[in-house]
Amino acid sequence: MEVIIQPDAAAAVKLTARIMGDALRKNPEMVFGLATGATMEAVYAELARMCREEGLDFSNAKSFNLDEYIGLAPEDKNSYRYYMEQHLFNHINIKKANTHLPNGMATDIPGEGARYEAAIAAAGGIDLQLLGIGQDGHIGFNEPLSSLGSRTRDKSLTPVTYKQNCIYFDPPESMPRRAFTMGVGTILDARRIVMLVTGEHKADIIAKAVEGPVTSMISASAIQFHRNVVVIVDEAAASKLEGKDYYRWSFENEPCWNEYR
Ligand code: PGA
């Protein structure tokens, strides 16, 4: 794992988008794993700008999102399908048919997880998975105690996640308490993981996930098992990391980051 500390959130976002853009230029048929949430909005705005101004071409790319609320239709403004259309898909040249999220309206709940897993496999697996982290340490909606080997399935949301996300709902109590999410095992199957974490409110949890023991109580800690992970943080999110000096030294000196410094 590598941890890259950027001076502020804007720089962390730019670096994340640049890594994604470079991967797409190298492989126009990239299969992206995508995430939602406040942190990612600026990443998608930057990718949209790169598409518009720099000709970044998504026409042969595919995407699979991490999760979707159960009970929300695609056109519901709180669904993650709606979020993705608003923040990214409507602004880049990806083919809508190549964009995938779990179907929040699926009635066969176990069947939907299996269908999603099969769709990811049929696309050849995920090349680059973008991740955020929730305040309870979740990746996707893999809440505490999610099996580190879990696959796409339905999951009950914790009170911490409810508090974090209900602010987007009107009234807040209308937020669904269950969601479909890729499993931790599904996420670990991605060939590369890029995690973006910004803000002081994430400093504790990212320190636990990156430097603490691997535990299903913090599903993000499972990325320690992955062989190709970069965690990009701003100074505020990095404030509780014990190994900060080493991470900085490493980023400054590793030849693979020459073009990104
Ligand atoms: P946020 O969500 O970007 O809105 O903080 C991240 C997450 O819950 O994974």
Side-chain angles (χ1 to χ4, degrees):
M1 183 191 300
E2 299 216 39
V3 177
I4 299 180
I5 303 170
Q6 292 289 284
D8 53 32
V13 160
K14 272 217 146 152
L15 178 60
T16 303
R18 220 179 126 198
I19 290 171
M20 293 175 75
D22 288 349
L24 181 59
R25 283 192 192 92
K26 276 197 198 112
N27 173 14
E29 297 183 357
M30 280 291 287
V31 179
F32 285 109
L34 298 177
T36 50
T39 313
M40 299 307 161
E41 290 178 15
V43 175
Y44 297 146
E46 176 63 5
L47 288 173
R49 187 200 63 76
M50 289 160 80
C51 184
R52 198 172 52 241
E53 294 175 12
E54 297 171 7
L56 186 63
D57 181 10
F58 288 85
S59 60
N60 292 309
K62 296 193 172 94
S63 72
F64 287 88
N65 266 78
L66 286 166
D67 43 21
E68 179 61 283
Y69 289 110
I70 292 180
L72 296 194
E75 50 289 345
D76 189 301
K77 70 177 190 3
N78 285 119
S79 74
Y80 284 156
R81 163 59 74 178
Y82 189 89
Y83 169 108
M84 290 307 301
E85 310 258 325
Q86 295 301 309
H87 290 289
L88 187 64
F89 301 153
N90 288 346
H91 309 286
I92 61 174
N93 65 336
I94 198 165
K95 295 185 183 86
K96 288 284 161 68
N98 285 342
T99 66
H100 305 269
L101 287 91
N103 173 12
M105 299 304 281
T107 47
D108 174 4
I109 303 277
E112 179 57 13
R115 180 198 71 78
Y116 204 62
E117 288 284 329
I120 293 170
I126 290 169
D127 293 307
L128 188 159
Q129 176 67 55
L130 178 64
L131 289 180
I133 188 172
Q135 283 168 33
D136 66 358
H138 68 208
I139 45 177
F141 272 137
N142 290 288
E143 301 288 40
L145 288 186
S146 288
S147 160
L148 300 184
S150 51
R151 312 302 305 186
T152 306
R153 71 217 182 287
D154 58 308
K155 196 74 198 161
S156 303
L157 305 178
T158 61
V160 175
T161 297
Y162 175 74
K163 197 168 158 215
Q164 182 185 313
N165 289 4
C166 74
I167 50 168
Y168 303 112
F169 289 79
D170 183 21
E173 307 78 56
S174 64
M175 178 180 148
R177 307 298 169 101
R178 293 178 76 71
F180 289 113
T181 180
M182 277 188 206
V184 179
T186 320
I187 291 167
L188 293 181
D189 281 350
R191 287 182 267 279
R192 186 177 186 191
I193 291 176
V194 177
M195 178 179 269
L196 171 65
V197 183
T198 58
E200 205 189 336
H201 63 300
K202 298 279 179 74
D204 270 322
I205 195 66
I206 193 59
K208 284 184 184 146
V210 167
E211 296 179 335
V214 173
T215 167
S216 64
M217 287 302 289
I218 298 172
S219 65
S221 67
I223 65 170
Q224 295 178 36
F225 283 124
H226 198 279
R227 284 179 291 186
N228 191 355
V229 182
V230 57
V231 178
I232 300 170
V233 288
D234 64 354
E235 287 286 354
S239 59
K240 304 264 171 76
L241 291 170
E242 283 184 19
K244 262 194 290 195
D245 293 344
Y246 168 64
Y247 310 147
R248 280 191 227 282
W249 189 91
S250 179
F251 180 61
E252 286 307 318
N253 291 281
E254 284 284 350
C256 68
W257 295 113
N258 281 352
E259 58 186 299
Y260 292 98
R261 285 192 287 270

